[in-house]
Amino acid sequence: MGDYHRPRDLDEALKALTRPCTVLAGGTDFYPARVGRPVTENVLDISGIEVLRGISATAEGWRLGATTTWSDLIEAELPPLFDGLKQAGREVGGRQIQNAGTLAGNLCNASPAADGVPALLALDAEIEIARSTGSRRVPLAEFITGVRRTLLQPGELVVALHVPRPQHAARSAFLKLGARRYLVISIAMASAVVESAGGKVQAARVAVGACSPVARRLPALETALAGATLDGTLVDRIDPAHLAPLSPIDDVRGSAVYRRDAVLVLLKRLLQGLVA
């Protein structure tokens, strides 16, 4: 087995990353991937670093610490803007997984079916990345670059997610389709944020997961929703052509054709729920 490090502060963790390490947070992806074989790599356990956990409001929006768990998020007092992310959190495995699994771990694992990604995309989240020489922020839309691939470079660590404060009153929602109700990998999922004022949609952000190597926003649909009356006719703005950024595949959970049909249904139900 390689070395095991459990630092108590961020500086110590970043120093440890000057040599190759596998970062461990909640461990809900780490351990299942290594069943039946020894752990040979160096492990950096960041679960004891207090500054990496918790949710706080800022002048610009909200900071979600990297090791904040899904249960932390679900139980936090947050505005309706976060309802969709909370709904996604309740779909991340069972309660035990939600108690241990972290927000940043869900992103860094970079699964096409990661439940948290569409909701965070719809929230226009940014990722804060630190290294020993400084830090940087990148949009979540750029952070995940492919299946199990991210922008993280050697020596870098995700320390927080940042959600900007919307300009108008905002609500969000998330829906997931699986082969059963609980504890299932997504066939398709979608999340939407709608900002409104005066009974009209002022801005909309819509994202779909499990239908591309990376979850995708649907900019054409977002444009079509802007300016629409916030009522039951909102679903009429959805057109199959809006799904052009998606590239679903055929696999054991569903065909590409089924996924495209399912996404249209999910999007209509999302919008119906947001205007109810």
Side-chain angles (χ1 to χ4, degrees):
M1 178 176 176
D3 293 335
Y4 173 80
H5 305 275
R6 193 172 190 268
R8 290 296 180 178
D9 62 61
L10 182 57
D11 286 342
E12 186 182 349
L14 295 176
K15 288 176 182 176
L17 282 174
T18 57
R19 65 170 181 159
C21 289
T22 297
V23 176
L24 173 68
T28 57
D29 290 309
F30 178 90
Y31 293 113
R34 290 160 177 81
V35 171
R37 64 181 180 86
V39 177
T40 57
E41 65 263 52
N42 299 321
V43 174
L44 177 65
D45 182 349
I46 62 172
S47 61
I49 304 175
E50 290 188 14
V51 71
L52 297 184
R53 185 166 182 173
I55 300 172
S56 57
T58 69
E60 296 79 23
W62 292 266
R63 179 188 185 275
L64 315 178
T67 62
T68 301
T69 68
W70 291 102
S71 291
D72 292 338
L73 173 81
I74 292 165
E75 295 166 4
E77 292 188 13
L78 292 166
L81 173 68
F82 286 89
D83 286 354
L85 185 58
K86 289 189 174 190
Q87 290 162 357
R90 294 186 181 98
E91 300 286 352
V92 179
R95 185 65 176 178
Q96 298 93 331
I97 297 296
Q98 294 163 20
N99 287 342
T102 65
L103 303 186
N106 193 250
L107 303 183
C108 293
N109 192 47
S111 166
D115 292 314
V117 177
L120 285 164
L121 278 175
L123 288 170
D124 213 14
E126 286 190 334
I127 311 302
E128 182 182 352
I129 301 168
R131 60 184 306 134
S132 59
T133 56
S135 64
R136 61 187 176 119
R137 286 195 194 183
V138 297
L140 173 57
E142 298 175 10
F143 176 73
I144 301 175
T145 59
V147 179
R148 312 292 185 186
R149 293 188 287 114
T150 72
L151 282 180
L152 280 178
Q153 299 296 312
E156 291 188 327
L157 181 70
V158 173
V159 296
L161 292 70
H162 295 270
V163 174
R165 197 175 299 275
Q167 296 183 1
H168 309 277
R171 299 176 62 191
S172 69
F174 170 90
L175 283 175
K176 169 177 172 174
L177 172 66
R180 58 179 184 266
R181 181 63 188 87
Y182 296 107
L183 302 174
V184 63
I185 297 174
S186 298
I187 296 171
M189 54 184 163
S191 190
V193 170
V194 171
E195 297 184 36
S196 62
K200 299 284 188 180
V201 175
Q202 301 300 317
R205 293 178 294 280
V206 183
V208 171
C211 290
S212 311
V214 177
R216 298 290 188 193
R217 290 265 298 266
L218 302 181
L221 175 57
E222 295 172 356
T223 299
L225 294 174
T229 302
L230 196 64
D231 60 19
T233 65
L234 195 62
V235 299
D236 298 333
R237 299 287 183 114
I238 300 173
D239 188 282
H242 295 151
L243 306 186
L246 307 181
S247 54
I249 62 170
D250 299 325
D251 65 11
V252 295
R253 286 182 291 276
S255 68
V257 171
Y258 177 69
R259 281 186 161 95
R260 283 190 178 274
D261 290 344
V263 167
L264 285 173
V265 174
L266 289 176
L267 291 173
K268 290 177 181 178
R269 290 178 179 175
L270 271 180
L271 295 182
Q272 287 169 344
L274 286 171
V275 301

